[in-house]
Amino acid sequence: MARDFEALKARVRDVSYTPGTDALRHISPLLLQAQDLTATALVRLTTLDNSTYTHIPGSRASLELLASVVSSSSLAGTDLAHVVLANPYEGAQFAGYPADDEAVRTARHAEAVPKMNGHLDDAAHQLDLCATGCHYLAHGITEDLAAERQYKPEAVRQTTGPALAPAQYDALTALNGGGQLYESAARGPGVTRVATDDGTRAPIATYRALARRELVTRDTSTSPAVGQKITVTEQGQQALARPRRRPPPPAHVQEGPAGARPQRPGSGSSTGRWP
């Protein structure tokens, strides 16, 4: 759209006309094109406002900028309409009024031309704002989308990762309800254990695996001898929100002939070994 606004601005700057019918013939296409560009900008604003782009940080500024393009384009059309209004037409006067002579006609043109040129300058200025706005808009949207693509993989890395094993999922679920890391007095200093509020078994190795993935954290302000509160992190909550991985099916055991049963040593086996 920037190129379209720039092309129309150049046409407005370079337009040459003679007041009267000639001016109407040259200005009318410029006015119609300005109105078409206003309609196009408005359609694109509506499309952008209804798109997923609005969820990207910074999109509001782009919407407001495109709305300003709609406004400036409409003002450019109004300025061109004012040129049409200021144009001195050559129709006949009411009955009883004398027809304009050449001196009157020249005076009317001399009075109209500065007004018409002033409106043309205003229209060109508004079209220049439109073109500049479109360039900034294209650059802004490109940067917003690039930043979103750069951010999204990082967000995906934070919210995905290897699926939890069933035991890890169960331990994380239990710890989400409350748990502590404590030092086992029975096994001596430095040996830690995990206790969950609901009594679910959570081996220390499972806890450490969850901690390495930053799915849980502990309150290090207290001593393990007293008990350190375990908290499920935001990433842990996201892991719990994903479906629980099913355990692998048991290996298929091939059965022997119908009625055959393994014999214990000394109960009829000639070798004393399991078959």
Side-chain angles (χ1 to χ4, degrees), residues 194-212:
V194 176
T196 61
D197 289 358
D198 66 0
T200 299
R201 182 175 179 271
I204 187 64
T206 301
Y207 166 79
R208 288 171 179 164
L210 297 175
R212 281 194 299 271

Side-chain angles (χ1 to χ4, degrees), residues 79-99:
D79 290 325
L80 292 170
H82 285 160
V83 177
V84 173
L85 177 62
N87 184 40
Y89 297 96
E90 303 298 335
Q93 287 277 43
F94 287 108
Y97 286 85

Side-chain angles (χ1 to χ4, degrees), residues 16 30 52 59 70-71 97 108 122 130 136 174 194 243 253:
S16 177
L30 304 180
T52 56
S59 58
V70 174
S71 176
Y97 286 85
R108 290 180 65 225
D122 291 341
C130 291
Y136 277 114
V194 176
V253 179

Side-chain angles (χ1 to χ4, degrees), residues 250-272:
H252 177 69
V253 179
Q254 185 176 0
E255 296 182 356
R261 297 178 62 184
Q263 297 179 348
R264 295 182 181 276
S267 60
S269 171
S270 60
T271 62

Side-chain angles (χ1 to χ4, degrees), residues 31-254:
L31 173 56
L32 293 174
Q33 187 175 357
Q35 292 174 336
D36 286 343
L37 287 175
T38 301
T40 300
L42 183 59
V43 168
R44 295 190 179 180
L45 173 61
T46 303
T47 301
L48 197 64
D49 185 59
N50 291 329
S51 71
T52 56
Y53 172 70
T54 56
H55 302 300
I56 296 177
S59 58
R60 181 185 299 179
S62 296
L63 292 169
E64 291 173 348
L65 180 56
L66 186 49
S68 75
V69 170
V70 174
S71 176
S72 294
S73 181
S74 180
L75 289 174
T78 299
D79 290 325
L80 292 170
H82 285 160
V83 177
V84 173
L85 177 62
N87 184 40
Y89 297 96
E90 303 298 335
Q93 287 277 43
F94 287 108
Y97 286 85
D100 293 341
D101 57 21
E102 188 62 26
V104 173
R105 182 172 179 272
T106 301
R108 290 180 65 225
H109 286 192
E111 182 182 358
V113 168
K115 294 179 181 179
M116 296 171 70
N117 288 342
H119 292 312
L120 287 171
D121 289 341
D122 291 341
H125 173 67
Q126 294 296 339
L127 292 170
D128 185 56
L129 293 178
C130 291
T132 302
C134 286
H135 282 301
Y136 277 114
L137 179 65
H139 180 72
I141 291 177
T142 300
E143 281 197 336
D144 291 342
L145 295 176
E148 175 70 5
R149 284 192 296 270
Q150 183 178 3
Y151 167 78
K152 196 168 185 178
E154 178 64 24
V156 170
R157 285 194 295 271
Q158 292 178 359
T159 58
T160 58
L164 294 175
Q168 292 176 334
Y169 191 95
D170 292 341
L172 189 61
T173 301
L175 291 172
N176 195 39
Q180 285 188 330
L181 182 72
Y182 69 98
E183 195 173 78
S184 176
R187 294 181 176 269
V191 180
T192 52
R193 289 288 183 268
V194 176
T196 61
D197 289 358
D198 66 0
T200 299
R201 182 175 179 271
I204 187 64
T206 301
Y207 166 79
R208 288 171 179 164
L210 297 175
R212 281 194 299 271
R213 293 178 57 178
E214 299 182 353
L215 304 181
V216 293
T217 186
R218 59 192 173 92
D219 180 10
T220 57
S221 64
T222 60
S223 169
V226 178
Q228 298 177 329
K229 181 181 178 181
I230 298 173
T231 303
V232 176
T233 66
E234 182 178 351
Q235 294 181 45
Q237 298 291 347
Q238 293 167 354
L240 288 175
R242 294 192 292 273
R244 184 179 187 274
R245 192 176 74 180
R246 294 177 177 272
H252 177 69
V253 179
Q254 185 176 0

